[in-house]
């Protein structure tokens, strides 16, 4: 500074010193952040490794669930079979992949995506061991979880369907002796493959409306459903009608008898409530 210069001395050295201190603190924070990230990604033991494994496993489960939902169009997309009413084509402990009725629907049948036994026989369409579609339906007027049985034939409101029924699956002598004959509305007559009578001529269900059908069974995987059933047997009983094998519902296991047919009960795998007289998986 010249002799005549009256300006105060510059404090640039202090500013630069302060700036250096601030930059050093930020660098330390960055180092800590990088250190935590590096440990999370690369530690072979300890809490970071445990957290990484938990998060990656959860991510895989979520990804698989999203993929299955995208394919099936219904949740849960899998159910575990709880009883023997669909034997020999479904066994207790089987895991069943279901889809929304309209997905992957065959040419046989109509726009509903459901092919009845009668239609399947005419078109030579088989599903899970016999003609027609195996459907999951939930009667809102009946207690208990949804049911998985085969759609046998369609009826129209007011129809006398006694003559169309297989006489081996009814005990009545005429339409008047059948509770739901004439048909009260357009619907399906259903039956468990291992049951002696139609669901509608026993205490299982009224004729099944199309809107009650929540899914159609597509693929059977033996044994895997036992895992879901094992969890379901320890779950507390549900009072809201949720399916037995949903996370909070108990399983129901009704063995078929000549007096009272069983409903095939299912069990969903760890998922939000509802799809079957079987247990969603």
């Amino acid at each position: 500074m010249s002799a005549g210069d009256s300006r105060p001395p510059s404090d640039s050295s202090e500013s630069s010193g302060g700036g250096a201190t601030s930059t050093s603190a930020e660098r330390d924070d960055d180092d800590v952040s990088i250190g935590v990230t590096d440990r999370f990604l690369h530690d072979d033991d300890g809490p970071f490794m445990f957290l990484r494994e938990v998060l990656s496993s959860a991510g895989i489960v979520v990804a698989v669930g999203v993929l299955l939902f995208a394919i099936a169009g219904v949740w849960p997309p899998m159910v575990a079979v709880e009883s023997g009413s669909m034997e020999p084509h479904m066994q207790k402990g089987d895991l069943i992949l279901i889809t929304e009725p309209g997905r992957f629907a065959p040419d046989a049948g109509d726009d509903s995506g459901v092919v009845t036994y009668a239609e399947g026989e005419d078109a030579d369409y088989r599903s899970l061991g016999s003609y027609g579609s195996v459907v999951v339906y939930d009667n809102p007027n009946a207690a208990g979880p949804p049911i998985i049985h085969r759609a046998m034939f369609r009826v129209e409101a007011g129809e006398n369907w006694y003559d169309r029924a297989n006489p081996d699956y009814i005990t009545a002598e005429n339409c008047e002796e059948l509770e739901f004959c004439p048909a009260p509305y357009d619907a399906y007559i259903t039956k468990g493959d291992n049951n002696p009578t139609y669901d509608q001529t026993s205490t299982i269900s009224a004729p099944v409306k199309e809107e009650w059908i929540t899914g159609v069974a597509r693929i059977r995987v033996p044994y895997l459903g036992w895992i879901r059933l094992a969890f379901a047997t320890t779950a507390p009983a549900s009072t809201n009608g949720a399916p037995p094998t949903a996370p909070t519902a108990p399983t129901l296991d009704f063995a078929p008898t000549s007096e009272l047919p069983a409903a095939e009960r299912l069990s969903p795998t760890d998922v939000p409530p509802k799809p079957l007289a079987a247990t969603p998986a």
Side-chain angles (χ1 to χ4, degrees), residues 5-209:
D5 193 345
S6 61
R7 290 177 298 174
S10 169
D11 60 354
S12 60
S13 61
E14 293 180 7
S15 299
S16 63
T21 301
S22 175
T23 302
S24 176
E26 292 173 358
R27 187 180 300 113
D28 289 343
D29 290 341
D30 290 342
D31 290 343
V32 171
S33 177
I34 293 172
V36 170
T37 302
D38 185 70
R39 292 189 62 189
F40 176 79
L41 295 175
H42 302 294
D43 275 11
D44 293 329
D45 54 27
F48 287 102
M49 183 276 292
F50 177 77
L51 180 60
R52 182 179 71 242
E53 295 301 316
V54 168
L55 292 178
S56 61
S57 298
I60 291 172
V61 170
V62 170
V64 170
V66 170
L67 177 61
L68 287 175
F69 177 73
I71 294 172
V74 64
W75 190 265
M78 295 178 291
V79 296
V81 176
E82 297 179 11
S83 76
S85 73
M86 284 296 290
E87 292 178 356
H89 305 125
M90 290 183 186
Q91 306 285 339
K92 182 176 180 179
D94 286 351
L95 193 67
I96 308 298
L97 175 65
I98 65 174
T99 70
E100 183 271 328
R103 298 204 178 194
F104 312 111
D107 293 334
D110 61 13
D111 294 339
S112 70
V114 175
V115 180
T116 66
Y117 182 98
E119 293 165 340
E121 196 172 25
D122 290 340
D124 196 26
Y125 170 77
R126 291 176 175 268
S127 173
L128 294 169
S130 189
Y131 294 114
S133 300
V134 176
V135 300
V136 175
Y137 69 86
D138 188 7
N139 182 345
N141 303 314
I147 293 171
I148 181 168
H149 277 175
R150 196 174 300 275
M152 301 303 289
F153 58 92
R154 306 171 201 268
V155 293
E156 297 180 354
E159 177 184 348
N160 177 344
W161 54 272
Y162 177 84
D163 292 335
R164 296 178 56 200
N166 186 325
D168 293 336
Y169 303 151
I170 57 177
T171 57
E173 296 296 330
N174 51 55
C175 179
E176 289 70 24
E177 293 183 10
L178 291 176
E179 181 180 359
F180 299 105
C181 186
Y185 41 75
D186 294 353
Y188 294 93
I189 302 300
T190 55
K191 179 183 174 293
D193 289 354
N194 195 36
N195 284 348
T197 61
Y198 296 115
D199 297 351
Q200 290 68 39
T201 59
S202 66
T203 60
I204 292 177
S205 177
V208 177
K209 294 182 178 182

